[in-house]
Amino acid sequence: AFRLKRAFPKAGEAISAQSTLDAVDAVMPAIELLDSRYEAGCGATRLDQLADHLGNFGVIVGNELPDWRVRN
């Protein structure tokens, strides 16, 4: 997961690898939890899936990685 420190991109800002990295405030490991209230799950209609948050039940976000810029 990423937390941005500012709006990205700024109006008129050219998007580059460096401008993207500069906009990131923190990086954390994250796991998305999937579930559906519909028996058909992914077989439900698109509108039903949308109403069900496309199967998103939640997210678990870990601690910030302080050295994320130097990890390979």
Side-chain angles (χ1 to χ4, degrees):
F2 303 92
R3 184 177 63 225
L4 298 178
K5 59 183 160 187
R6 61 177 177 84
F8 181 77
K10 290 180 185 175
E13 178 181 14
I15 297 175
S16 67
Q18 191 59 52
S19 68
T20 303
L21 289 172
D22 290 344
V24 175
D25 182 45
V27 175
M28 296 80 62
I31 297 174
E32 181 182 15
L33 303 175
L34 301 177
D35 194 13
S36 178
R37 60 186 165 163
Y38 296 106
E39 236 178 80
C42 291
T45 69
R46 188 70 177 155
L47 287 176
D48 284 342
Q49 290 179 38
L50 185 61
D52 197 34
H53 302 285
L54 298 173
N56 178 278
F57 180 73
V59 65
I60 299 171
V61 180
N63 295 328
E64 294 178 14
L65 302 173
D67 59 345
W68 67 270
R69 286 186 181 259
V70 296
R71 289 180 179 234
N72 291 328

